[in-house]
Amino acid sequence: MRRFSILLLLLPVLAHAQTAEEIVRKSESVLKGTTSRGTYRMTIVTPEYTREMEMRTWWDDAADKSLIHITAPKKEAGNKWLKIGNEMWNYLKATETTVKIPPSMMLQSWNGSDFTNDDLARESSLEKDYTHTLLGEEDINGERCWKIASVPKADAAVVWGKIYSWVRMKDFIASVAQFYDEKGTLLRYMVYSGIKQLGGRTMPTVWTMHNKSKPGHRTEFVILDAAFDISIPSSMFSFRELERGN
């Protein structure tokens, strides 16, 4: 009877227990939804200069497709990136040419930022391509967070050797993510901030990527507007849309 009573006391705890996979899935859902449309401002900061641009994006999780359309500054407006699965194409409006990003270029900087082409082409792969382990709990900026280690599966063609993530326990909002190479060297880390209501959900609206291999370099994404779980026509993720001059 005593053992049964102890089990009854533990039931509420067990019912609310989260696996690492569940935490990652729910945290990703907060940021993305099943589909999304948004407007972003990206600021690239280096010791020599600061560069700013704005863009519109469309994303479909089930189809594993996305489109990025630069809208400012004027000299870059009209440049686009189309992602289908793990492949990516870049349309340059000035020359009206479309270039496929080869595998050898996937580790290169995306449009001069601290994100790589691979970050964009594989933006939905964290849940699919990594095995996750719940390491424990830590406080980040006064919020209790789960700490999760993610290592790539044997057959996954990914860049990072390991990723550490901190996710807020109260709402599954990402707080910090650290990205390591195969030798265990920390190369970059992302800080999520500016938490507010946007697109019908509470989420971080400022994502700042710090480049540890280039001191003084960072890239900040600010979500200006967003809509989630909406209908997006399949034609949006086509070469016709990519090369449409607008």
Side-chain angles (χ1 to χ4, degrees):
M1 178 64 69
R2 182 180 180 185
R3 181 179 298 177
F4 181 72
S5 298
I6 292 174
L7 287 174
L8 286 177
L9 290 173
L10 288 175
L11 279 177
V13 177
L14 295 173
H16 290 84
Q18 301 287 335
T19 67
E21 288 76 14
E22 289 171 338
I23 295 167
V24 169
R25 182 167 57 252
K26 291 178 180 179
S27 180
E28 291 279 282
S29 178
V30 168
L31 297 177
K32 299 176 180 178
T34 56
T35 61
S36 67
R37 179 186 67 240
T39 304
Y40 293 76
R41 181 175 63 245
M42 184 175 78
T43 305
I44 302 168
V45 179
T46 76
E48 293 79 28
Y49 64 86
T50 296
R51 176 169 156 246
E52 187 174 287
M53 67 184 75
E54 292 191 6
M55 65 196 76
R56 295 200 303 266
T57 68
W58 295 263
W59 183 79
D60 188 321
D61 181 35
D64 198 11
K65 297 178 181 180
S66 64
L67 180 72
I68 300 172
H69 178 183
I70 304 298
T71 58
K74 186 176 181 179
K75 66 178 181 180
E76 296 183 56
N79 292 346
K80 300 179 184 179
W81 283 259
L82 173 66
K83 167 210 163 191
I84 301 176
N86 296 330
E87 297 182 299
M88 179 184 286
W89 292 265
N90 177 205
Y91 172 75
L92 299 173
K93 185 177 180 181
T95 57
E96 297 185 342
T97 56
T98 297
V99 179
K100 184 175 182 180
I101 308 297
S104 60
M105 292 287 290
M106 295 307 288
L107 296 183
Q108 299 299 313
S109 166
W110 180 79
N111 211 21
S113 73
D114 295 295
F115 294 86
T116 68
N117 289 311
D118 188 80
D119 289 328
L120 274 77
R122 304 192 61 83
E123 65 176 345
S124 63
S125 67
L126 182 61
E127 179 185 349
K128 303 173 185 176
D129 290 341
Y130 288 81
T131 298
H132 311 287
T133 302
L134 182 58
L135 300 181
E137 303 173 10
E138 292 183 2
D139 286 335
I140 302 293
N141 296 325
E143 295 287 349
R144 199 65 175 167
C145 296
W146 287 293
K147 181 180 180 181
I148 297 171
S150 302
V151 296
K153 296 177 180 178
D155 60 345
V158 297
V159 174
W160 306 114
K162 181 177 287 188
I163 300 174
Y164 287 114
S165 305
W166 285 262
V167 178
R168 295 182 0 165
M169 297 179 68
K170 70 179 184 180
D171 49 20
F172 295 95
I173 290 177
S175 182
V176 176
Q178 295 178 340
F179 303 89
Y180 293 78
D181 65 13
E182 293 180 349
K183 297 180 180 179
T185 302
L186 175 63
L187 296 184
R188 292 183 293 168
Y189 66 96
M190 179 92 84
V191 177
Y192 299 89
S193 59
I195 297 173
K196 64 181 182 181
Q197 282 284 328
L198 189 68
R201 62 182 62 198
T202 302
M203 63 180 295
T205 61
V206 181
W207 309 358
T208 306
M209 181 72 85
H210 297 263
N211 194 330
K212 291 289 288 183
S213 60
K214 294 182 178 180
H217 288 244
R218 71 179 187 276
T219 298
E220 179 183 88
F221 267 99
V222 178
I223 308 175
L224 303 175
D225 180 59
F228 299 94
D229 304 323
I230 58 174
S231 176
I232 300 177
S234 59
S235 59
M236 181 60 67
F237 308 109
S238 65
F239 287 97
R240 181 177 181 178
E241 179 64 33
L242 177 69
E243 298 171 346
R244 188 162 66 91
N246 60 352

